[in-house]
Amino acid sequence: MKDVVESANAAQQPQPGQAPQAEQAEQIKYCLYARKSSEQDERQAMSIDSQLKEMADLALAKGLEVVKVKQESHSAKLSAQRPVFMEMLEEIRSGEYNGILTWAPDRLSRNAGDLGSLVDLMDAKMLAHIKTHSQEFSNNPNEKFLLMILCSQAKLENDNRAINVKRGIRAKCEMGWRPCMPPLGYFTRAATGKERDVIIDEERAPYIRKMFEMSASGKSGRHIMSWLEQNNVKTRSGKKIHLSAIYKILGNTFYYGDFEYPAGSGQWYKGKHEPLITKEIFIKVQDQLRVPTKPKWGAKEFPYKRFLKCYSCGANVVGEEKFKTRKDGSKNRFVYYHCSRQVDHDCKEPFVRDKAITSELIKFCDELITDVTILEPGLKDAIDKYTKMMKSTYKATKVDMVAGYVKYVLNEGSQFEKTRLIRNLDIKLALHDKKLVKI
């Protein structure tokens, strides 16, 4: 940039037959500003290097004094978003220079906000002149009006371009082609002219079909993931297919021939690509994947699930209920706790009955609550009531009374009382081989 300034300022030396500079009209100090957007809509714009060279040559030919050169790669669609441009405006306000040299008006602004800032500086007589490759704008009504028209025209072109792109996308969708990369199991290839075709990936497509068949028959996502790992099935980039990607594939309508674009818009199209599955098997898979409606809050409560960790892998321990039908048709409910397997889906820690965990927890009764003052008010009041009731019958210390209340709640308390007690315990325990251990 130093070379650009030096070459532009070489014209300031008096030429043979030319009057000394002091006798010439007052010189305007210019900032040479070059910009190129990285966005697709301006990829054909002149490069920054070309802008700098052309405008430096112009400055040399016209005898313009360039005191600073600025450049940036940034879109001008939104106002006050270009750091270098905003810096240039501040330097104009501070009187460092009072002219701008740039390739074209649209290099300065493609939005009303930045255009308004430039015009305001002209009105305030801080910005005296804007020189482009083929035009110039001074602080007079006609030239400012022309500047506003040209920059507004650039904004209009941007807005129209966005509308045209959206119209083109809609037309492509209506023709049956989704305007983005197809999902796993398909490839895109160049067809005739500029059109592209979607073809089946013969290597991965059979596995995609089998995934839908397995899910429709009741196989879980983790079972499918293990099967894919055993068969060394990977993405197009050679990466493992994770559980989230499996569920995304199983919920993608593209595989039976329909697609929605944009996602969530409610606009559906019939694709021209060859389906991998039928719509009937897709519906079966969605029935299998449908999550049952959650019961009323509080209907299911597993007090220990937010309290215990898995000793082997560190994942949370979760609760699960099982039912066993009696001979008379009634059902027995059993609650089990086990590792959630969110860290290691092959974790070997066994399932444990809730009663076994209660028995284990009672062994730590004297350590579960060490400071009554920090308990939530409801639990503290319950312990006080229990203590007053038991004092008349038993002669025991306050610690004994607290341990007695803990034991009482764990053995005979309601679900609410157990849950409230567990969330106030100040001990960290893990489940290991059906036992509780400190961590």
Side-chain angles (χ1 to χ4, degrees):
M1 290 192 294
K2 182 178 179 181
D3 294 338
V4 173
V5 175
E6 290 177 350
S7 62
N9 289 337
Q12 303 308 307
Q13 301 300 323
Q15 303 298 318
Q18 184 180 21
Q21 186 169 331
E23 298 178 9
Q24 298 178 27
E26 182 183 355
Q27 290 289 313
I28 297 175
K29 295 181 180 180
Y30 288 89
C31 172
L32 199 168
Y33 176 78
R35 180 187 68 82
K36 183 179 185 298
S37 175
S38 58
E39 296 188 4
Q40 186 173 3
D41 61 49
E42 289 190 24
R43 283 181 182 171
Q44 300 303 315
M46 181 182 257
S47 70
I48 286 179
D49 290 340
S50 297
Q51 292 178 49
L52 292 174
K53 182 181 182 305
E54 290 286 339
M55 300 316 294
D57 291 344
L58 179 65
L60 184 61
K62 298 292 185 180
L64 306 179
E65 182 182 1
V66 177
V67 298
K68 187 166 284 190
V69 176
K70 291 182 176 292
Q71 63 183 58
E72 64 182 330
S73 295
H74 205 292
S75 171
K77 288 181 180 179
L78 302 177
S79 64
Q81 298 298 310
R82 291 173 288 160
V84 176
F85 179 81
M86 299 306 294
E87 183 181 75
M88 180 176 68
L89 296 184
E90 286 301 317
E91 291 173 354
I92 292 173
R93 293 187 184 99
S94 67
E96 192 169 334
Y97 40 82
N98 59 348
I100 299 175
L101 182 63
T102 191
W103 173 254
D106 64 0
R107 299 300 88 201
L108 294 175
S109 173
R110 283 177 176 263
N111 65 82
D114 290 344
L115 173 59
S117 298
L118 292 170
V119 174
D120 287 344
L121 288 173
M122 283 185 160
D123 290 340
K125 296 183 170 45
M126 296 178 183
L127 178 58
H129 195 246
I130 296 176
K131 175 65 178 171
T132 70
H133 184 264
S134 57
Q135 294 166 305
E136 53 186 297
F137 309 93
S138 300
N139 186 21
N140 70 68
N142 289 336
E143 292 183 9
K144 284 190 292 186
F145 181 63
L146 178 59
L147 175 65
M148 288 188 287
I149 288 177
L150 293 175
C151 291
S152 298
Q153 183 180 12
K155 175 173 171 52
L156 178 63
E157 290 172 357
N158 269 341
D159 294 345
N160 284 336
R161 187 179 292 112
I163 293 173
N164 292 337
V165 168
K166 290 179 181 178
R167 184 177 65 240
I169 289 175
R170 283 197 303 270
K172 187 174 182 179
C173 289
E174 289 166 359
M175 292 170 59
W177 302 116
R178 193 178 72 162
C180 53
M181 181 176 289
L184 197 66
Y186 289 93
F187 279 134
T188 55
R189 70 174 179 186
T192 58
K194 295 183 179 179
E195 297 295 328
R196 298 188 70 82
D197 196 8
V198 176
I199 61 173
I200 291 178
D201 178 357
E202 299 296 343
E203 178 185 350
R204 297 176 182 85
Y207 293 100
I208 300 295
R209 291 192 188 98
K210 185 65 176 177
M211 286 170 59
F212 278 93
E213 293 171 3
M214 293 171 69
S215 181
S217 65
K219 299 296 183 183
S220 68
R222 293 189 182 277
H223 182 95
I224 295 173
M225 184 171 68
S226 298
W227 174 75
L228 292 173
E229 289 176 355
Q230 292 169 8
N231 288 275
N232 197 32
V233 182
K234 299 184 182 296
T235 66
R236 285 182 289 248
S237 59
K239 296 180 180 179
K240 173 184 174 181
I241 303 176
H242 294 283
L243 187 61
S244 60
I246 290 172
Y247 285 119
K248 188 174 182 180
I249 289 171
L250 295 176
N252 194 338
T253 61
F254 190 89
Y255 291 106
Y256 76 77
D258 292 350
F259 63 90
E260 181 186 24
Y261 193 88
S265 64
Q267 299 175 8
W268 289 89
Y269 303 93
K270 184 69 177 177
K272 281 191 175 181
H273 60 281
E274 182 181 347
L276 293 184
I277 59 170
T278 63
K279 188 172 183 178
E280 288 71 26
I281 194 171
F282 180 85
I283 293 173
K284 288 181 181 179
V285 169
Q286 306 319 300
D287 290 339
Q288 289 289 339
L289 297 178
R290 188 172 292 114
V291 178
T293 304
K294 290 185 177 181
K296 185 179 178 181
W297 186 88
K300 290 184 180 181
E301 188 65 47
F302 304 106
Y304 302 131
K305 70 178 180 180
R306 298 182 183 91
F307 174 57
L308 300 175
K309 294 285 186 180
C310 174
Y311 182 84
S312 296
C313 68
N316 290 323
V317 168
V318 296
E320 185 176 337
E321 62 180 5
K322 301 286 185 180
F323 293 93
K324 185 175 181 180
T325 305
R326 298 192 186 99
K327 291 182 179 180
D328 61 1
S330 60
K331 293 184 177 181
N332 270 342
R333 178 179 180 265
F334 300 92
V335 175
Y336 292 86
Y337 289 87
H338 60 89
C339 173
S340 64
R341 294 179 174 83
Q342 291 177 329
V343 176
D344 178 7
H345 65 266
D346 292 322
C347 184
K348 304 302 182 185
E349 288 289 349
F351 282 50
V352 186
R353 284 281 304 276
D354 59 340
K355 292 182 179 179
I357 292 180
T358 299
S359 299
E360 283 289 307
L361 196 56
I362 288 174
K363 295 177 182 179
F364 296 91
C365 268
D366 295 334
E367 306 175 56
L368 298 180
I369 296 178
T370 57
D371 187 357
V372 180
T373 62
I374 64 173
L375 301 177
E376 61 182 71
L379 178 58
K380 188 175 181 298
D381 292 343
I383 292 177
D384 289 342
K385 289 179 183 179
Y386 177 85
T387 300
K388 291 177 182 178
M389 181 182 67
M390 299 300 291
K391 270 185 177 180
S392 60
T393 307
Y394 302 100
K395 294 181 179 181
T397 65
K398 179 71 174 179
V399 174
D400 292 334
M401 289 297 183
V402 173
Y405 175 80
V406 170
K407 186 175 181 180
Y408 160 75
V409 170
L410 291 176
N411 280 325
E412 304 177 41
S414 65
Q415 287 287 77
F416 171 77
E417 289 175 321
K418 288 181 180 179
T419 302
R420 182 178 62 183
L421 173 65
I422 294 301
R423 68 171 175 254
N424 280 270
L425 300 185
D426 54 359
I427 188 173
K428 294 184 178 180
L429 299 172
L431 191 59
H432 178 47
D433 197 21
K434 298 187 179 183
K435 303 290 184 182
L436 296 183
V437 295
K438 286 185 181 181
I439 53 175

